[in-house]
Amino acid sequence: MIGRRDFITLLGGAAAWPLAARAQQAAMPVIGFLNAQSADALTHAIAAFRQGLNETGYAEGRNVAIEWRWAEGQGDRLPALAAELVQRQVAVIASTGGDPTALAAKRATTTLPIVFTIGGDPVALGLVASLNRPGGNITGITQITVLLDPKRLEVLHELMPGIAVVAVLRNPNNANAETQVQALQAAARTMGIELRFVSAATEREIDAAFAMLAEMRIGALVVASDPFFNGRRQQIVAQATRLAVPAIFHQREFALEGGLMSYGTSVTDMYRQAAIYAGRILRGEKPADLPVQQSTKVEFVVNLRTAKRLGLTFPLPLIGRADEVIE
């Protein structure tokens, strides 16, 4: 039989249970995940990020929480979303998906640790002092995708050796826009190809750019690497399909959407590496002591269904180099 004093003690203990649970939850470290796109567009990357965390001993909901912030393709929302994560006092910000996201996070805080994934040169962008010794509160993973734009043109030329005119869709607001143009022009000269550039930085401008392409006599299209284009891949692939123009892209996901082919670094591997760095920071390491990693895993994906629709046949040597063939 329970006495009155015992009963009061039990009630007190029961009341303390939710408090203890809340205290445990409050003690769980929180990662702020910032991205310019939407969750639906990056399910593969989210899975890779969680995998990277698992490799460092963390699992979402078990011993780490993640605050997800998606700009839904509206880059102007990034500063406010980054400020939310700073106000939330997360343990580390994973600013993923490109240069604008990383820059927004850097401008939002000089104290909270930041791990970025970008496609440009982090030193030239002013994110870090050097690749080996980043300094400050920020480090991350870079693809330096601009270096692969000439290679994409080379692959197109290998598929279509008689090609004379190639269009390039680029984002003029990209921090690497001029470097992209110079690198592509240098490569085109060696192949005897004439380049015609069209620009787009909004959804409406993408449609306008393809309307211009419809008036041009082009043999193929290179879509230059750009974070904004990543979030508009369905629109871009649909427009290329409508024009029946052979196109090469910088991410595997474009080929999965129906693009002819892609050549670029692995997005999933990049997000996995970023999560590993986030996990290491949660365990006490400092961003300043973690060298910027260069993602070197390159994927070449061809879509034979699209090739058939365009009346193209991939040479066997080119098919043999593909990491993935969509049939």
Side-chain angles (χ1 to χ4, degrees):
M1 186 172 180
I2 299 175
R4 182 174 182 276
R5 182 175 297 175
D6 294 329
F7 181 70
I8 292 172
T9 301
L10 283 173
L11 284 177
W17 292 340
L19 294 174
R22 285 196 294 270
Q24 185 178 6
Q25 187 176 22
M28 185 183 292
V30 179
I31 296 173
F33 186 99
L34 180 66
N35 193 283
Q37 298 186 52
S38 65
D40 290 341
L42 286 174
T43 54
H44 59 292
I46 294 170
F49 189 81
R50 289 185 171 124
Q51 178 190 341
L53 286 177
N54 291 342
E55 291 177 30
T56 60
Y58 287 98
E60 184 183 9
R62 178 167 59 85
N63 57 357
V64 69
I66 303 178
E67 289 278 343
W68 304 93
R69 295 292 185 276
W70 303 94
E72 306 291 342
Q74 302 175 45
D76 56 353
R77 293 183 58 202
L78 288 170
L81 293 174
E84 283 183 21
L85 294 175
V86 173
Q87 187 175 16
R88 175 71 172 77
Q89 284 294 299
V90 296
V92 56
I93 297 175
S95 60
T96 61
D99 308 348
T101 314
L103 290 169
K106 182 176 174 63
R107 291 173 186 136
T109 179
T110 57
T111 55
L112 293 182
I114 299 170
V115 177
F116 58 72
T117 67
I118 63 171
D121 181 348
V123 177
L125 288 169
L127 291 172
V128 298
S130 72
L131 298 182
N132 289 331
R133 300 182 65 83
N137 64 316
I138 186 167
T139 187
I141 320 297
T142 180
Q143 295 176 317
I144 313 190
T145 53
V146 65
L147 302 178
L148 295 177
D149 283 324
K151 181 64 179 178
R152 295 182 191 103
L153 185 62
E154 182 183 320
V155 171
L156 260 181
H157 186 250
E158 188 173 349
L159 173 64
M160 307 168 68
I163 195 169
V165 181
V166 174
V168 178
L169 175 66
R170 70 184 190 113
N171 182 351
N173 296 336
N174 189 303
N176 303 300
E178 289 307 312
T179 304
Q180 287 176 325
V181 170
Q182 293 168 10
L184 281 164
Q185 286 177 331
R189 281 193 293 269
T190 66
M191 301 175 220
I193 293 175
E194 177 188 346
L195 294 182
R196 296 183 182 175
F197 291 89
V198 291
S199 300
T202 66
E203 287 186 58
R204 182 174 297 179
E205 288 176 358
I206 288 174
D207 291 337
F210 276 93
M212 291 177 60
L213 291 177
E215 302 297 322
M216 299 180 184
R217 293 189 175 183
I218 60 170
L221 170 68
V222 173
V223 176
S225 56
D226 183 80
F228 171 69
F229 293 159
N230 299 344
R232 294 291 178 269
R233 60 177 179 268
Q234 291 180 336
Q235 178 187 7
I236 292 171
V237 169
Q239 288 282 16
T241 300
R242 184 180 62 82
L243 289 185
V245 59
I248 188 167
F249 306 91
H250 59 285
Q251 284 187 355
R252 168 179 178 267
E253 289 68 29
F254 284 85
L256 296 180
E257 290 286 350
L260 176 62
M261 55 183 168
S262 66
Y263 185 91
T265 47
S266 169
V267 173
T268 53
D269 188 61
M270 196 178 193
Y271 277 71
R272 184 186 66 83
Q273 292 182 61
I276 290 173
Y277 259 14
R280 290 175 64 176
I281 290 171
L282 291 180
R283 295 198 176 279
E285 295 189 60
K286 305 296 183 186
D289 300 327
L290 295 173
V292 174
Q293 299 289 329
Q294 296 192 50
S295 182
T296 57
K297 184 179 179 182
V298 176
E299 298 176 323
F300 176 40
V301 182
V302 301
N303 190 321
L304 292 184
R305 290 200 302 265
T306 302
K308 183 178 180 180
R309 188 173 64 247
L310 293 170
L312 294 172
T313 301
F314 275 86
L316 288 178
L318 199 56
I319 286 286
R321 297 205 307 270
D323 298 283
E324 183 176 354
V325 177
I326 301 169
E327 300 185 83

